[in-house]
Amino acid sequence: MEGDEARRSLLSMTSQLPQAKEASPLQETLLVVEDEDAIRETVALALEEQGYRVLQAADGREALELVHTAERLDLMILDLMLPSLNGLDLCRLLRREGNALPILMLTAKSSETDRVVGLELGADDYLTKPFGMRELIARCRSVLRRRQQAYTSEATVLRYGDICLFTQECRVLVRGVEVSFSPKEFRLLELFMSHPRRVWTREQLLERVWGSDYMGDSKTVDVHIRWLREKLEVDPSNPEYLVTVRGFGYRFG
Ligand code: CA
């Protein structure tokens, strides 16, 4: 009953929001993590009305799985009070595995400690409950904008283990030695290194690197992975960097 009321009052707020952006295939994708159904669904609806694509998770583990498997994710709206894996632990886990996904935390008014810890752990911003949809949307936009600016002005060197990739110069150092890569190999490696530990299916890799109109089959991906392994791995038949994830595809790191 209480949840229904909250939902109704939140929904009435969404009616006066600024005009939605037009949907496109390049839509930014947001993940809403909250165990209270009424809040999660209301937030998701409000964001969808703004033209975002929205994924939802009702607990921390589900969210972690989505982060690892989603084709695209631009921002996570993360409630800290969650079953199975709480928001702070999830945030810590992601940053520890090198994932830089922008995070907007939702915190209770009373929990200043959580807020401080969350920001220290690498959350980008926070919003105190209860909040209005207009404020939530404004915060989401500002986090996305800041990340976009940071990304374009960032030093364009990706490092992982012994591998160093210079995105602007299209050069790669493997254990300190410059190794040459074909354009497709380079783009594939750049994609992997931009998302350490993320699992990619062959279809996702094909679409990102070869483009959605590519007519070849997913064997092409396997062949390129083999070539990459020969250039990156100490022992290509026992890879440390480009790992096969049985039943899914591939992962870097
Ligand atoms: Ca909650």
Side-chain angles (χ1 to χ4, degrees), residues 34-36 79-82 129:
E34 161 67 277
D35 57 319
E36 284 167 70
D79 185 47
L80 294 189
M81 298 281 281
L82 292 169
K129 283 178 166 179

Side-chain angles (χ1 to χ4, degrees), residues 8-164:
R8 263 198 302 278
S9 71
L10 283 168
L11 277 177
S12 68
M13 281 187 254
T14 61
S15 57
Q16 319 138 18
L17 293 171
Q19 188 113 45
K21 285 190 266 176
E22 216 168 283
S24 91
L26 299 170
Q27 256 175 325
E28 282 168 314
T29 304
L30 278 48
L31 170 59
V32 180
V33 190
E34 161 67 277
D35 57 319
E36 284 167 70
D37 295 345
I39 299 182
R40 190 186 60 248
E41 284 164 15
T42 309
V43 166
L45 188 67
L47 292 169
E48 277 167 2
E49 284 175 352
Q50 294 300 304
Y52 296 113
R53 195 172 152 249
V54 181
L55 306 176
Q56 301 183 34
D59 65 59
R61 297 222 166 271
E62 199 185 335
L64 184 64
E65 202 178 308
L66 274 171
V67 171
H68 285 156
T69 54
E71 214 158 302
R72 172 173 186 167
L73 258 194
D74 299 281
L75 171 67
M76 171 157 67
I77 295 148
L78 177 63
D79 185 47
L80 294 189
M81 298 281 281
L82 292 169
S84 86
L85 179 67
N86 76 45
L88 288 177
D89 288 339
L90 176 60
C91 188
R92 184 181 294 121
L93 231 146
L94 289 175
R95 295 307 187 233
R96 201 173 280 169
E97 63 186 33
N99 193 312
L101 175 66
I103 297 175
L104 174 65
M105 296 186 291
L106 304 180
T107 68
K109 204 169 194 165
S110 54
S111 61
E112 199 183 341
T113 323
D114 279 357
R115 213 143 55 220
V116 172
V117 173
L119 291 172
E120 275 174 3
L121 285 175
D124 295 76
D125 201 355
Y126 67 88
L127 204 54
T128 307
K129 283 178 166 179
F131 51 83
M133 287 301 118
R134 193 185 279 271
E135 190 180 5
L136 174 84
I137 289 160
R139 289 300 176 86
C140 287
R141 285 197 178 140
S142 101
V143 172
L144 287 166
R145 199 168 43 232
R146 261 188 283 149
R147 269 309 166 107
Q148 190 53 44
Q149 284 163 355
Y151 184 76
T152 43
S153 65
E154 232 167 48
T156 44
V157 185
L158 303 173
R159 285 172 213 280
Y160 195 97
D162 295 334
I163 298 169
C164 203

